[in-house]
Amino acid sequence: MTEEEAFRMPPLTLAYVGDAVWEINVRTFLVMNGHRRPDSLHKLAVELVRAGAQAYRLREIQEVLTERERDVIRRGRNAKSGSIPKNARVTDYRASTGFEAMLGYLFLTGQTGRLQEIIQMLLALDDRSDGAKGSSAKRAEGSAHASEKPEE
């Protein structure tokens, strides 16, 4: 798909695709960091995909985004989605919609190198949006059950 075709798509459609892109990358990140138990995988994934965590990560990488990426984010943020999850602040939910729209845009336009570059930056960030300390990887490691050892 061309960049122009993707840019003209409804931002909520881009966010729909971007949600799946982020989810699979988060799940892969957790498994590659040694997590194998479904209960801990789910808890850790939810922590990384929630609106507040996405909004925080988006704010942290704003400076490295291109003008087009920022335009896609702005369109996603301003899209009217109909409902806001009860556990999310409106501002975080709108920002996370922009975050997901950008990921969907990059995926649909085949910009896989740029997409992976951004995802790696996002996953390497400290998640200080909820007072947690340490990078996502370190927190993910520390959250694993003591009996859960990485499989080799």
Side-chain angles (χ1 to χ4, degrees):
M1 173 176 289
T2 69
E3 289 186 36
E4 222 26 69
E5 289 170 328
F7 191 74
R8 285 193 307 259
M9 291 184 84
L12 294 178
T13 302
L14 294 174
Y16 175 77
V17 172
D19 177 64
V21 170
W22 181 239
E23 182 78 28
I24 192 66
N25 277 278
V26 164
R27 289 178 181 206
T28 301
F29 170 78
L30 293 173
V31 170
M32 297 303 286
N33 279 284
H35 300 282
R36 302 295 189 269
R37 292 182 51 153
D39 59 332
S40 69
L41 282 169
H42 177 72
K43 288 175 187 169
L44 294 168
V46 166
E47 188 176 320
L48 291 171
V49 301
R50 65 186 174 76
Q54 289 180 0
Y56 165 77
R57 284 176 166 72
L58 180 60
R59 284 190 302 272
E60 293 297 306
I61 67 161
Q62 281 290 324
E63 296 171 9
V64 301
L65 299 176
T66 66
E67 189 62 36
R68 177 58 73 116
E69 291 163 351
R70 286 192 294 266
D71 287 344
V72 171
I73 290 166
R74 191 171 16 263
R75 289 182 65 230
R77 188 185 61 225
N78 293 335
K80 303 295 183 228
S81 63
S83 64
I84 310 269
K86 64 180 176 190
N87 59 347
R89 293 188 327 212
V90 173
T91 55
D92 285 347
Y93 184 72
R94 294 207 190 287
S96 71
T97 302
F99 169 97
E100 291 172 347
M102 176 195 58
L103 297 180
Y105 171 83
L106 292 172
F107 179 82
L108 290 172
T109 57
Q111 297 181 55
T112 55
R114 179 64 175 158
L115 178 63
Q116 285 307 308
E117 178 185 352
I118 288 173
I119 286 173
Q120 288 184 6
M121 280 188 272
L122 294 166
L123 288 171
L125 286 170
D126 285 351
D127 185 0
R128 306 237 185 245
S129 62
D130 61 359
K133 298 189 182 197
S135 73
S136 298
K138 288 180 185 171
R139 285 186 314 108
E141 274 178 38
S143 297
H145 297 304
S147 63
E148 182 180 341
K149 302 234 188 292
E151 294 175 7
E152 297 185 17

